[in-house]
Amino acid sequence: MQFNRCSRCGCFFVSSGDVCPNCQQKDAYEINQLKNYLENSSMNSSIQEISLNTGITEKNLHRFFKDDNFIGSDNNPTIL
Ligand SMILES: [Zn+2]
């Protein structure tokens, strides 16, 4: 059995993925917010700007952008 460490809360969990089942819902919520923000803003926002405007921590933003499954590869923004 393999344990993963949650990227959000740091707890250990058994299922696959970056975050524990508890945090998957929070991730999904923030990814929605992020997508909405990106649709309504210029594509040249910096991580800091996005974080300020969405309330999502920079750490989580980096994680979302790193994973192409979260943000559709068609509309990947340019991160400065
Ligand atoms: Zn967690």
Side-chain angles (χ1 to χ4, degrees):
M1 197 179 283
Q2 194 183 337
F3 287 92
N4 290 318
R5 188 144 194 226
C6 177
S7 297
R8 289 186 70 109
C9 69
C11 76
F12 290 94
F13 63 101
V14 180
S15 54
S16 62
D18 269 348
V19 296
C20 70
N22 281 344
C23 292
Q24 269 170 14
Q25 289 185 354
K26 295 179 196 164
D27 262 13
Y29 176 76
E30 289 187 349
I31 287 161
N32 260 332
Q33 280 192 309
L34 177 57
K35 283 181 175 171
N36 279 338
Y37 174 76
L38 293 175
E39 276 168 17
N40 297 312
S41 67
S42 76
M43 286 286 115
N44 292 324
S45 305
S46 68
I47 287 277
Q48 284 88 350
E49 274 179 284
I50 299 173
S51 177
L52 269 176
N53 286 299
T54 59
I56 304 169
T57 64
E58 290 181 30
K59 182 186 160 198
N60 282 330
L61 286 171
H62 280 296
R63 196 159 50 78
F64 296 155
F65 285 123
K66 222 170 50 183
D67 192 335
D68 284 342
N69 294 326
F70 282 125
I71 314 288
S73 46
D74 291 345
N75 54 358
N76 260 347
T78 308
I79 300 298
L80 300 175

